[in-house]
Amino acid sequence: MSSNIRIGCASGFWGDTAMSVPALVHSGNIDYLVFDYLSEITMSILAKAKQKSPDMGYTPDFVHSAMAPNLHAIKEKKIRVVANAGGINPHACADALRAVAKKQNLDFKIAVVTGDDLLPQLDLMKSLNIKDMDKGFPVPENIHSMNAYLGAGPVAKALDLGADIVITGRCVDSAVVLGPLISKFKWSLNDLDKLAMGSLAGHLLECGAQSAGGIHTDWHLIKDWHNMGFPIAECQENGEFTVSKPPNTGGMVTVGTVSEQLVYEIGDPANYALPDVLCDFTNVKLTQVRENEVLVQGAKGKCPTDYYKVSATFGDGFRATAVCPVVGPRASEKAIITAKSILQRSENVFKLYGLKGFRQTHLEVLGAEQNYGKNAINKNSREVVMWIAVHHDKKEAISLFSKEIAAASTGGAPGFTTLIGGRPKASPILRLFSFLYPKNKVEIQITCEGKTEKYISEPIKAANASPAAEFKKVPLTKGTNTYRLEELAYTRSGDKGDTNNIGICFTNLNLSTGIYSLANT
């Protein structure tokens, strides 16, 4: 009997497909089913939901769409579940799941990890003169949520306590995979190379279908988009693992698809910071061992920092977006003239009400290839879409803008058709405030079967970390040939806060092989 464990990830975000769970549960032969639901904006949305109802603040999709229809199969196959579906209110999530299970005459041992929510410490944060780690501004007034990115240790402890299902609030995405590995293989938090490999397994699984061909550079090779497979990591005690997907599902798992996810949002590939370990991915080796199965080796670990990253969200005014098709000769020119007139007329109305102008506006003509700049080919389409986005401190101003759009139908250039979705409504803008906070100031608790205990991490000595091999950066050879990037490399874009992150992985090239990460704020 193999001592390896198989972990399948069924969700990359709140709103992912409900079809992933049945495929993983019924044909994935998995030991653990994990879910990643949370982003910075999701935390703020959940905080708002909890303000409206104290029983909300978690992701209800986890309870009602992912778990409820599959509980009997999960129980029968003895699959253990880890999910950060708790959001702002993990205990309410656990209670809702218990209620659903009870209706099906099923009993699960559910553990809850808390301590990430630091909003009760907001006044203390302000007194400490904390600054945003990227832009240096102080703690904003209108904070909606404030959560530390916890690590995998508490998840592992909850599983050690015998939990069938572990529900957390905010934790790093990879922790839902690393936690089961620490628990199963009894890894020490000083086994830094193993923690790095386990974190890499989590990183490759955390975005759902992306490792299995979702938004792949070579998208034209993908089959059965309607039945996309979700990734499975089969992990060994030494940290090495393979990535695959359930049989008879769409997509594909190749060195290319895994490479793209490897470089997703990692910033510096030699120093990918997580609460449990600082990861060096520069010498990771990917090998296609069979169809739809890739072997992953070579991640190295270094001592983590003494700080958690904390992400807070705050309100920053209101926005609205208006979208309208414009048709006929010189459609692009008409769309630009019409949009500019709407913006100017709106600000004229603002003056009548004593309001300031827009804080920010965005005007784009879809179909005129504006994003291609000087490389645009078709600038004169007879059918385009006028897209206007506006930002203002006052909700009242957004409402006035919304009313002024319709006037273009009789007082603007011809070709203005219907507003898609009707007149836009004001929606709040949420911004990110990120900072580092000492781990010893964060109290983590684990509640299981009605008993709550404080989580205490073992001290990290870094005794078992291996030195990373030297990573050689080979310059590209000079020449006169021109290539599209997709012909030379696998790429993946993402974001961390307000930083656009573009990962590039060159493979099978004589000119160089390596992993690179470009950031542009």
mmCIF file with all atom_site columns, all heavy atoms in Angstrom, residues 127-146:
data_model
loop_
_atom_site.group_PDB
_atom_site.id
_atom_site.type_symbol
_atom_site.label_atom_id
_atom_site.label_alt_id
_atom_site.label_comp_id
_atom_site.label_asym_id
_atom_site.label_entity_id
_atom_site.label_seq_id
_atom_site.pdbx_PDB_ins_code
_atom_site.Cartn_x
_atom_site.Cartn_y
_atom_site.Cartn_z
_atom_site.occupancy
_atom_site.B_iso_or_equiv
_atom_site.pdbx_formal_charge
_atom_site.auth_seq_id
_atom_site.auth_comp_id
_atom_site.auth_asym_id
_atom_site.auth_atom_id
_atom_site.pdbx_PDB_model_num
ATOM 1   N N   . SER A 1 127 ? -2.390  53.259 16.580 1.00 0.00 ? 127 SER A N   1
ATOM 2   C CA  . SER A 1 127 ? -1.483  53.837 17.582 1.00 0.00 ? 127 SER A CA  1
ATOM 3   C C   . SER A 1 127 ? -0.027  53.438 17.333 1.00 0.00 ? 127 SER A C   1
ATOM 4   O O   . SER A 1 127 ? 0.888   54.105 17.811 1.00 0.00 ? 127 SER A O   1
ATOM 5   C CB  . SER A 1 127 ? -1.904  53.396 18.989 1.00 0.00 ? 127 SER A CB  1
ATOM 6   O OG  . SER A 1 127 ? -1.669  52.009 19.177 1.00 0.00 ? 127 SER A OG  1
ATOM 7   N N   . LEU A 1 128 ? 0.181   52.357 16.573 1.00 0.00 ? 128 LEU A N   1
ATOM 8   C CA  . LEU A 1 128 ? 1.540   51.872 16.315 1.00 0.00 ? 128 LEU A CA  1
ATOM 9   C C   . LEU A 1 128 ? 2.185   52.541 15.103 1.00 0.00 ? 128 LEU A C   1
ATOM 10  O O   . LEU A 1 128 ? 3.300   52.196 14.723 1.00 0.00 ? 128 LEU A O   1
ATOM 11  C CB  . LEU A 1 128 ? 1.513   50.346 16.104 1.00 0.00 ? 128 LEU A CB  1
ATOM 12  C CG  . LEU A 1 128 ? 1.112   49.510 17.314 1.00 0.00 ? 128 LEU A CG  1
ATOM 13  C CD1 . LEU A 1 128 ? 1.032   48.039 16.939 1.00 0.00 ? 128 LEU A CD1 1
ATOM 14  C CD2 . LEU A 1 128 ? 2.101   49.712 18.446 1.00 0.00 ? 128 LEU A CD2 1
ATOM 15  N N   . ASN A 1 129 ? 1.456   53.456 14.501 1.00 0.00 ? 129 ASN A N   1
ATOM 16  C CA  . ASN A 1 129 ? 1.994   54.197 13.347 1.00 0.00 ? 129 ASN A CA  1
ATOM 17  C C   . ASN A 1 129 ? 2.382   53.257 12.201 1.00 0.00 ? 129 ASN A C   1
ATOM 18  O O   . ASN A 1 129 ? 3.414   53.426 11.543 1.00 0.00 ? 129 ASN A O   1
ATOM 19  C CB  . ASN A 1 129 ? 3.203   55.040 13.759 1.00 0.00 ? 129 ASN A CB  1
ATOM 20  C CG  . ASN A 1 129 ? 3.556   56.093 12.721 1.00 0.00 ? 129 ASN A CG  1
ATOM 21  O OD1 . ASN A 1 129 ? 2.674   56.612 12.030 1.00 0.00 ? 129 ASN A OD1 1
ATOM 22  N ND2 . ASN A 1 129 ? 4.834   56.410 12.598 1.00 0.00 ? 129 ASN A ND2 1
ATOM 23  N N   . ILE A 1 130 ? 1.540   52.278 11.969 1.00 0.00 ? 130 ILE A N   1
ATOM 24  C CA  . ILE A 1 130 ? 1.786   51.308 10.885 1.00 0.00 ? 130 ILE A CA  1
ATOM 25  C C   . ILE A 1 130 ? 1.559   51.971 9.537  1.00 0.00 ? 130 ILE A C   1
ATOM 26  O O   . ILE A 1 130 ? 0.624   52.751 9.354  1.00 0.00 ? 130 ILE A O   1
ATOM 27  C CB  . ILE A 1 130 ? 0.871   50.085 11.067 1.00 0.00 ? 130 ILE A CB  1
ATOM 28  C CG1 . ILE A 1 130 ? 1.354   49.263 12.256 1.00 0.00 ? 130 ILE A CG1 1
ATOM 29  C CG2 . ILE A 1 130 ? 0.819   49.234 9.810  1.00 0.00 ? 130 ILE A CG2 1
ATOM 30  C CD1 . ILE A 1 130 ? 0.457   48.114 12.609 1.00 0.00 ? 130 ILE A CD1 1
ATOM 31  N N   . LYS A 1 131 ? 2.413   51.641 8.568  1.00 0.00 ? 131 LYS A N   1
ATOM 32  C CA  . LYS A 1 131 ? 2.332   52.195 7.221  1.00 0.00 ? 131 LYS A CA  1
ATOM 33  C C   . LYS A 1 131 ? 2.114   51.077 6.199  1.00 0.00 ? 131 LYS A C   1
ATOM 34  O O   . LYS A 1 131 ? 2.510   49.930 6.411  1.00 0.00 ? 131 LYS A O   1
ATOM 35  C CB  . LYS A 1 131 ? 3.625   52.942 6.856  1.00 0.00 ? 131 LYS A CB  1
ATOM 36  C CG  . LYS A 1 131 ? 4.026   54.028 7.837  1.00 0.00 ? 131 LYS A CG  1
ATOM 37  C CD  . LYS A 1 131 ? 3.116   55.231 7.759  1.00 0.00 ? 131 LYS A CD  1
ATOM 38  C CE  . LYS A 1 131 ? 3.620   56.367 8.656  1.00 0.00 ? 131 LYS A CE  1
ATOM 39  N NZ  . LYS A 1 131 ? 2.732   57.550 8.631  1.00 0.00 ? 131 LYS A NZ  1
ATOM 40  N N   . ASP A 1 132 ? 1.497   51.428 5.082  1.00 0.00 ? 132 ASP A N   1
ATOM 41  C CA  . ASP A 1 132 ? 1.345   50.479 3.988  1.00 0.00 ? 132 ASP A CA  1
ATOM 42  C C   . ASP A 1 132 ? 2.722   50.053 3.491  1.00 0.00 ? 132 ASP A C   1
ATOM 43  O O   . ASP A 1 132 ? 3.605   50.883 3.263  1.00 0.00 ? 132 ASP A O   1
ATOM 44  C CB  . ASP A 1 132 ? 0.552   51.107 2.835  1.00 0.00 ? 132 ASP A CB  1
ATOM 45  C CG  . ASP A 1 132 ? 0.362   50.160 1.675  1.00 0.00 ? 132 ASP A CG  1
ATOM 46  O OD1 . ASP A 1 132 ? -0.570  49.338 1.729  1.00 0.00 ? 132 ASP A OD1 1
ATOM 47  O OD2 . ASP A 1 132 ? 1.157   50.230 0.717  1.00 0.00 ? 132 ASP A OD2 1
ATOM 48  N N   . MET A 1 133 ? 2.933   48.743 3.318  1.00 0.00 ? 133 MET A N   1
ATOM 49  C CA  . MET A 1 133 ? 4.254   48.213 3.000  1.00 0.00 ? 133 MET A CA  1
ATOM 50  C C   . MET A 1 133 ? 4.720   48.573 1.594  1.00 0.00 ? 133 MET A C   1
ATOM 51  O O   . MET A 1 133 ? 5.913   48.497 1.293  1.00 0.00 ? 133 MET A O   1
ATOM 52  C CB  . MET A 1 133 ? 4.263   46.688 3.168  1.00 0.00 ? 133 MET A CB  1
ATOM 53  C CG  . MET A 1 133 ? 3.296   45.935 2.286  1.00 0.00 ? 133 MET A CG  1
ATOM 54  S SD  . MET A 1 133 ? 3.153   44.173 2.762  1.00 0.00 ? 133 MET A SD  1
ATOM 55  C CE  . MET A 1 133 ? 4.815   43.591 2.391  1.00 0.00 ? 133 MET A CE  1
ATOM 56  N N   . ASP A 1 134 ? 3.805   48.980 0.723  1.00 0.00 ? 134 ASP A N   1
ATOM 57  C CA  . ASP A 1 134 ? 4.188   49.320 -0.642 1.00 0.00 ? 134 ASP A CA  1
ATOM 58  C C   . ASP A 1 134 ? 4.250   50.829 -0.881 1.00 0.00 ? 134 ASP A C   1
ATOM 59  O O   . ASP A 1 134 ? 5.157   51.319 -1.553 1.00 0.00 ? 134 ASP A O   1
ATOM 60  C CB  . ASP A 1 134 ? 3.202   48.696 -1.637 1.00 0.00 ? 134 ASP A CB  1
ATOM 61  C CG  . ASP A 1 134 ? 3.240   47.171 -1.600 1.00 0.00 ? 134 ASP A CG  1
ATOM 62  O OD1 . ASP A 1 134 ? 4.357   46.620 -1.587 1.00 0.00 ? 134 ASP A OD1 1
ATOM 63  O OD2 . ASP A 1 134 ? 2.169   46.548 -1.566 1.00 0.00 ? 134 ASP A OD2 1
ATOM 64  N N   . LYS A 1 135 ? 3.298   51.567 -0.305 1.00 0.00 ? 135 LYS A N   1
ATOM 65  C CA  . LYS A 1 135 ? 3.211   52.998 -0.614 1.00 0.00 ? 135 LYS A CA  1
ATOM 66  C C   . LYS A 1 135 ? 3.400   53.913 0.583  1.00 0.00 ? 135 LYS A C   1
ATOM 67  O O   . LYS A 1 135 ? 3.477   55.126 0.423  1.00 0.00 ? 135 LYS A O   1
ATOM 68  C CB  . LYS A 1 135 ? 1.875   53.296 -1.299 1.00 0.00 ? 135 LYS A CB  1
ATOM 69  C CG  . LYS A 1 135 ? 1.749   52.591 -2.646 1.00 0.00 ? 135 LYS A CG  1
ATOM 70  C CD  . LYS A 1 135 ? 0.597   53.126 -3.453 1.00 0.00 ? 135 LYS A CD  1
ATOM 71  C CE  . LYS A 1 135 ? 0.591   52.522 -4.850 1.00 0.00 ? 135 LYS A CE  1
ATOM 72  N NZ  . LYS A 1 135 ? -0.532  53.013 -5.678 1.00 0.00 ? 135 LYS A NZ  1
ATOM 73  N N   . GLY A 1 136 ? 3.469   53.357 1.779  1.00 0.00 ? 136 GLY A N   1
ATOM 74  C CA  . GLY A 1 136 ? 3.854   54.146 2.927  1.00 0.00 ? 136 GLY A CA  1
ATOM 75  C C   . GLY A 1 136 ? 2.790   55.018 3.549  1.00 0.00 ? 136 GLY A C   1
ATOM 76  O O   . GLY A 1 136 ? 3.094   55.807 4.441  1.00 0.00 ? 136 GLY A O   1
ATOM 77  N N   . PHE A 1 137 ? 1.519   54.898 3.151  1.00 0.00 ? 137 PHE A N   1
ATOM 78  C CA  . PHE A 1 137 ? 0.492   55.742 3.765  1.00 0.00 ? 137 PHE A CA  1
ATOM 79  C C   . PHE A 1 137 ? -0.022  55.092 5.056  1.00 0.00 ? 137 PHE A C   1
ATOM 80  O O   . PHE A 1 137 ? 0.052   53.874 5.233  1.00 0.00 ? 137 PHE A O   1
ATOM 81  C CB  . PHE A 1 137 ? -0.651  56.046 2.789  1.00 0.00 ? 137 PHE A CB  1
ATOM 82  C CG  . PHE A 1 137 ? -1.380  54.833 2.252  1.00 0.00 ? 137 PHE A CG  1
ATOM 83  C CD1 . PHE A 1 137 ? -2.496  54.332 2.905  1.00 0.00 ? 137 PHE A CD1 1
ATOM 84  C CD2 . PHE A 1 137 ? -0.961  54.213 1.073  1.00 0.00 ? 137 PHE A CD2 1
ATOM 85  C CE1 . PHE A 1 137 ? -3.185  53.243 2.421  1.00 0.00 ? 137 PHE A CE1 1
ATOM 86  C CE2 . PHE A 1 137 ? -1.638  53.122 0.568  1.00 0.00 ? 137 PHE A CE2 1
ATOM 87  C CZ  . PHE A 1 137 ? -2.752  52.624 1.244  1.00 0.00 ? 137 PHE A CZ  1
ATOM 88  N N   . PRO A 1 138 ? -0.553  55.891 5.980  1.00 0.00 ? 138 PRO A N   1
ATOM 89  C CA  . PRO A 1 138 ? -0.985  55.364 7.283  1.00 0.00 ? 138 PRO A CA  1
ATOM 90  C C   . PRO A 1 138 ? -2.281  54.570 7.190  1.00 0.00 ? 138 PRO A C   1
ATOM 91  O O   . PRO A 1 138 ? -2.936  54.541 6.140  1.00 0.00 ? 138 PRO A O   1
ATOM 92  C CB  . PRO A 1 138 ? -1.162  56.629 8.126  1.00 0.00 ? 138 PRO A CB  1
ATOM 93  C CG  . PRO A 1 138 ? -1.510  57.684 7.118  1.00 0.00 ? 138 PRO A CG  1
ATOM 94  C CD  . PRO A 1 138 ? -0.712  57.359 5.890  1.00 0.00 ? 138 PRO A CD  1
ATOM 95  N N   . VAL A 1 139 ? -2.662  53.966 8.304  1.00 0.00 ? 139 VAL A N   1
ATOM 96  C CA  . VAL A 1 139 ? -3.897  53.173 8.352  1.00 0.00 ? 139 VAL A CA  1
ATOM 97  C C   . VAL A 1 139 ? -5.089  54.065 7.991  1.00 0.00 ? 139 VAL A C   1
ATOM 98  O O   . VAL A 1 139 ? -5.314  55.102 8.631  1.00 0.00 ? 139 VAL A O   1
ATOM 99  C CB  . VAL A 1 139 ? -4.113  52.578 9.756  1.00 0.00 ? 139 VAL A CB  1
ATOM 100 C CG1 . VAL A 1 139 ? -5.419  51.785 9.800  1.00 0.00 ? 139 VAL A CG1 1
ATOM 101 C CG2 . VAL A 1 139 ? -2.939  51.690 10.151 1.00 0.00 ? 139 VAL A CG2 1
ATOM 102 N N   . PRO A 1 140 ? -5.858  53.706 6.961  1.00 0.00 ? 140 PRO A N   1
ATOM 103 C CA  . PRO A 1 140 ? -7.007  54.527 6.557  1.00 0.00 ? 140 PRO A CA  1
ATOM 104 C C   . PRO A 1 140 ? -8.120  54.495 7.597  1.00 0.00 ? 140 PRO A C   1
ATOM 105 O O   . PRO A 1 140 ? -8.166  53.610 8.464  1.00 0.00 ? 140 PRO A O   1
ATOM 106 C CB  . PRO A 1 140 ? -7.463  53.860 5.241  1.00 0.00 ? 140 PRO A CB  1
ATOM 107 C CG  . PRO A 1 140 ? -6.324  52.995 4.814  1.00 0.00 ? 140 PRO A CG  1
ATOM 108 C CD  . PRO A 1 140 ? -5.651  52.562 6.072  1.00 0.00 ? 140 PRO A CD  1
ATOM 109 N N   . GLU A 1 141 ? -9.022  55.432 7.496  1.00 0.00 ? 141 GLU A N   1
ATOM 110 C CA  . GLU A 1 141 ? -10.133 55.511 8.440  1.00 0.00 ? 141 GLU A CA  1
ATOM 111 C C   . GLU A 1 141 ? -11.205 54.461 8.154  1.00 0.00 ? 141 GLU A C   1
ATOM 112 O O   . GLU A 1 141 ? -11.720 53.821 9.056  1.00 0.00 ? 141 GLU A O   1
ATOM 113 C CB  . GLU A 1 141 ? -10.757 56.918 8.385  1.00 0.00 ? 141 GLU A CB  1
ATOM 114 C CG  . GLU A 1 141 ? -9.876  58.005 8.968  1.00 0.00 ? 141 GLU A CG  1
ATOM 115 C CD  . GLU A 1 141 ? -9.608  57.790 10.457 1.00 0.00 ? 141 GLU A CD  1
ATOM 116 O OE1 . GLU A 1 141 ? -10.524 57.305 11.167 1.00 0.00 ? 141 GLU A OE1 1
ATOM 117 O OE2 . GLU A 1 141 ? -8.492  58.091 10.911 1.00 0.00 ? 141 GLU A OE2 1
ATOM 118 N N   . ASN A 1 142 ? -11.530 54.287 6.889  1.00 0.00 ? 142 ASN A N   1
ATOM 119 C CA  . ASN A 1 142 ? -12.694 53.481 6.519  1.00 0.00 ? 142 ASN A CA  1
ATOM 120 C C   . ASN A 1 142 ? -12.298 52.028 6.250  1.00 0.00 ? 142 ASN A C   1
ATOM 121 O O   . ASN A 1 142 ? -12.447 51.517 5.143  1.00 0.00 ? 142 ASN A O   1
ATOM 122 C CB  . ASN A 1 142 ? -13.365 54.100 5.287  1.00 0.00 ? 142 ASN A CB  1
ATOM 123 C CG  . ASN A 1 142 ? -14.726 53.492 5.006  1.00 0.00 ? 142 ASN A CG  1
ATOM 124 O OD1 . ASN A 1 142 ? -15.325 52.873 5.867  1.00 0.00 ? 142 ASN A OD1 1
ATOM 125 N ND2 . ASN A 1 142 ? -15.201 53.663 3.784  1.00 0.00 ? 142 ASN A ND2 1
ATOM 126 N N   . ILE A 1 143 ? -11.797 51.342 7.281  1.00 0.00 ? 143 ILE A N   1
ATOM 127 C CA  . ILE A 1 143 ? -11.357 49.957 7.131  1.00 0.00 ? 143 ILE A CA  1
ATOM 128 C C   . ILE A 1 143 ? -12.563 49.010 7.181  1.00 0.00 ? 143 ILE A C   1
ATOM 129 O O   . ILE A 1 143 ? -13.403 49.101 8.069  1.00 0.00 ? 143 ILE A O   1
ATOM 130 C CB  . ILE A 1 143 ? -10.368 49.572 8.249  1.00 0.00 ? 143 ILE A CB  1
ATOM 131 C CG1 . ILE A 1 143 ? -9.051  50.333 8.071  1.00 0.00 ? 143 ILE A CG1 1
ATOM 132 C CG2 . ILE A 1 143 ? -10.123 48.069 8.255  1.00 0.00 ? 143 ILE A CG2 1
ATOM 133 C CD1 . ILE A 1 143 ? -8.193  49.837 6.942  1.00 0.00 ? 143 ILE A CD1 1
ATOM 134 N N   . HIS A 1 144 ? -12.637 48.088 6.201  1.00 0.00 ? 144 HIS A N   1
ATOM 135 C CA  . HIS A 1 144 ? -13.722 47.105 6.163  1.00 0.00 ? 144 HIS A CA  1
ATOM 136 C C   . HIS A 1 144 ? -13.289 45.744 6.717  1.00 0.00 ? 144 HIS A C   1
ATOM 137 O O   . HIS A 1 144 ? -14.082 45.041 7.346  1.00 0.00 ? 144 HIS A O   1
ATOM 138 C CB  . HIS A 1 144 ? -14.217 46.912 4.727  1.00 0.00 ? 144 HIS A CB  1
ATOM 139 C CG  . HIS A 1 144 ? -14.889 48.103 4.162  1.00 0.00 ? 144 HIS A CG  1
ATOM 140 N ND1 . HIS A 1 144 ? -15.242 48.227 2.842  1.00 0.00 ? 144 HIS A ND1 1
ATOM 141 C CD2 . HIS A 1 144 ? -15.280 49.269 4.739  1.00 0.00 ? 144 HIS A CD2 1
ATOM 142 C CE1 . HIS A 1 144 ? -15.828 49.390 2.625  1.00 0.00 ? 144 HIS A CE1 1
ATOM 143 N NE2 . HIS A 1 144 ? -15.849 50.039 3.772  1.00 0.00 ? 144 HIS A NE2 1
ATOM 144 N N   . SER A 1 145 ? -12.060 45.351 6.414  1.00 0.00 ? 145 SER A N   1
ATOM 145 C CA  . SER A 1 145 ? -11.563 44.055 6.864  1.00 0.00 ? 145 SER A CA  1
ATOM 146 C C   . SER A 1 145 ? -10.073 44.166 7.118  1.00 0.00 ? 145 SER A C   1
ATOM 147 O O   . SER A 1 145 ? -9.395  45.021 6.547  1.00 0.00 ? 145 SER A O   1
ATOM 148 C CB  . SER A 1 145 ? -11.846 42.968 5.820  1.00 0.00 ? 145 SER A CB  1
ATOM 149 O OG  . SER A 1 145 ? -11.133 43.218 4.615  1.00 0.00 ? 145 SER A OG  1
ATOM 150 N N   . MET A 1 146 ? -9.544  43.283 7.980  1.00 0.00 ? 146 MET A N   1
ATOM 151 C CA  . MET A 1 146 ? -8.116  43.293 8.294  1.00 0.00 ? 146 MET A CA  1
ATOM 152 C C   . MET A 1 146 ? -7.729  41.872 8.731  1.00 0.00 ? 146 MET A C   1
ATOM 153 O O   . MET A 1 146 ? -8.095  41.430 9.817  1.00 0.00 ? 146 MET A O   1
ATOM 154 C CB  . MET A 1 146 ? -7.793  44.304 9.391  1.00 0.00 ? 146 MET A CB  1
ATOM 155 C CG  . MET A 1 146 ? -6.307  44.381 9.740  1.00 0.00 ? 146 MET A CG  1
ATOM 156 S SD  . MET A 1 146 ? -5.976  45.619 11.025 1.00 0.00 ? 146 MET A SD  1
ATOM 157 C CE  . MET A 1 146 ? -6.225  47.146 10.113 1.00 0.00 ? 146 MET A CE  1
#
